[in-house]
Amino acid sequence: MIFHKKKFASILTLVFMLALCGFAPHTMLVFKRSFGDFNHPKAATWDQLGNLYVVDTGNDRVVKYSPSGDSIASIGTSGFDVTQFQTPDGIAVTGVDVYVADYGNHRIQRFNRNLDYIATLYTRENPTEAQRFGYPKGVAASSQGDLFILDGENIRILQVNAFNVIEKNFGSIDAGAERLLDPSQIITDASDRIYVRDGDVIKMFDIYGNPTGMLSNMFAPPMRGCAVYGNTLYVLSDSVITIVTLGDAEQNAEIMNIPDKRPWEAIAVSAKTIALFDDHAVYEYNRQ
């Protein structure tokens, strides 16, 4: 594992060893319910009202569920129209908008929270190389309204301001040890830290694009996905969730055993619930 603080490294090493022995400190998962009919969902997130948005990648659609687990909105089929997708691969929800990384169509689609279409961001044919992105593997939002697009074609991150202007790109050769090699997911926390899942490593950047650290060699393989709630990072494997809280002065870590062993594909986290996705359904667990 690589991180700035030795204390943090020792804590994570100890916790990971405990997890391999079957010990799960502090938090337990209690099964709540299962629902959905998906085809390899790749991403999901909750909004502030407790609605769950699922990127149903294999069915080229996004589905919105109410807090009670009822499907209340859906958009998408396979295609090129503004209400269609080609292998959608990431989602970000803000106070008013939903952004979807439309991988095969090389664009970011913007919807309101009822999944009504608003706008498209497409720059793949821009004559300026620094402004282009293609095959987006994810999208994340900051508290200031900026978007961060994980550019799968050029292996970097593009920062887009609230006026849809691409301000910079980062995470390529200029990032040094945090240079992206095989990125697959991007998320932000409440402090606007940026996390990128890059193979079985988590690489971190600040809101200005500066590399700030890397977490490696401490997650149970294979890494299936990651999510944040507040300033806490949740990293999903098949049998455990590694939980890392990054504060200004102290860092904490723990391991949470998953009661059901499945080939999980995605994770979403809210205040009291963790949603885990296999290839066809979502399984919600209460945290106790």
Side-chain angles (χ1 to χ4, degrees), residues 40 224 236-238 260-266 277-279:
H40 294 285
R224 297 295 189 180
L236 174 67
S237 301
D238 282 343
D260 304 301
K261 306 301 187 290
R262 299 176 183 273
W264 301 112
E265 300 204 3
F277 297 79
D278 66 8
D279 61 354

Side-chain angles (χ1 to χ4, degrees), residues 35-41 54 56 59 61 63 65 279-282:
F35 56 89
D37 183 18
F38 310 125
N39 181 7
H40 294 285
V54 180
D56 186 6
N59 289 319
R61 64 175 183 162
V63 186
Y65 291 91
D279 61 354
H280 70 278
V282 54

Side-chain angles (χ1 to χ4, degrees), residues 22-277:
F23 180 72
H26 305 308
T27 307
M28 294 180 60
L29 290 179
V30 178
F31 179 75
K32 179 181 179 182
R33 63 189 175 196
S34 176
F35 56 89
D37 183 18
F38 310 125
N39 181 7
H40 294 285
K42 294 290 290 291
T45 190
W46 269 285
D47 66 17
Q48 296 174 339
L49 300 178
N51 300 301
L52 179 66
Y53 298 78
V54 180
V55 178
D56 186 6
T57 302
N59 289 319
D60 291 310
R61 64 175 183 162
V62 175
V63 186
K64 177 182 178 181
Y65 291 91
S66 71
S68 60
D70 298 318
S71 175
I72 56 176
S74 178
I75 189 169
T77 57
S78 181
F80 310 98
D81 187 76
V82 295
T83 59
Q84 296 179 307
F85 302 106
Q86 287 286 339
T87 320
D89 201 14
I91 191 168
V93 177
T94 67
V96 294
D97 293 319
V98 176
Y99 297 90
V100 179
D102 189 2
Y103 177 87
N105 287 325
H106 312 289
R107 62 191 183 184
I108 302 297
Q109 298 294 83
R110 179 186 174 192
F111 306 90
N112 64 23
R113 295 207 301 191
N114 294 321
L115 298 183
D116 299 315
Y117 172 77
I118 297 177
T120 294
L121 179 62
Y122 176 89
T123 68
R124 195 171 186 236
E125 298 176 10
N126 192 300
T128 303
E129 189 275 337
Q131 299 284 306
R132 294 197 294 261
F133 71 89
Y135 297 108
K137 292 187 174 183
V139 59
S142 77
S143 61
Q144 306 301 315
D146 291 340
L147 291 182
F148 299 93
I149 300 169
L150 187 55
D151 179 3
E153 186 165 46
N154 301 295
I155 318 298
R156 61 187 180 185
I157 299 165
L158 274 67
Q159 182 176 357
V160 184
N161 67 22
F163 302 99
N164 283 337
V165 175
I166 296 177
E167 291 191 338
K168 68 180 71 170
N169 61 70
F170 57 92
S172 56
I173 192 170
D174 59 304
E178 282 78 32
R179 178 183 181 180
L180 301 180
L181 301 174
D182 185 26
S184 58
Q185 186 179 3
I186 185 169
I187 51 179
T188 52
D189 69 11
S191 297
D192 288 333
R193 281 179 286 252
I194 301 166
Y195 304 88
V196 179
R197 178 160 64 106
D198 192 9
D200 283 330
V201 176
I202 300 293
K203 296 179 179 178
M204 299 177 289
F205 302 84
D206 65 21
I207 196 171
Y208 306 106
N210 301 307
T212 59
M214 183 166 58
L215 302 175
S216 64
N217 299 327
M218 44 75 66
F219 303 116
M223 189 188 299
R224 297 295 189 180
C226 54
V228 294
Y229 182 76
N231 286 321
T232 301
L233 172 68
Y234 297 76
V235 179
L236 174 67
S237 301
D238 282 343
S239 59
V240 299
I241 300 171
T242 306
I243 305 171
V244 182
T245 301
L246 301 177
D248 294 332
E250 296 292 331
Q251 291 81 29
N252 299 296
E254 65 174 289
I255 290 293
M256 182 187 299
N257 278 340
I258 302 172
D260 304 301
K261 306 301 187 290
R262 299 176 183 273
W264 301 112
E265 300 204 3
I267 179 174
V269 180
S270 69
K272 297 182 179 180
T273 305
I274 291 181
L276 303 180
F277 297 79

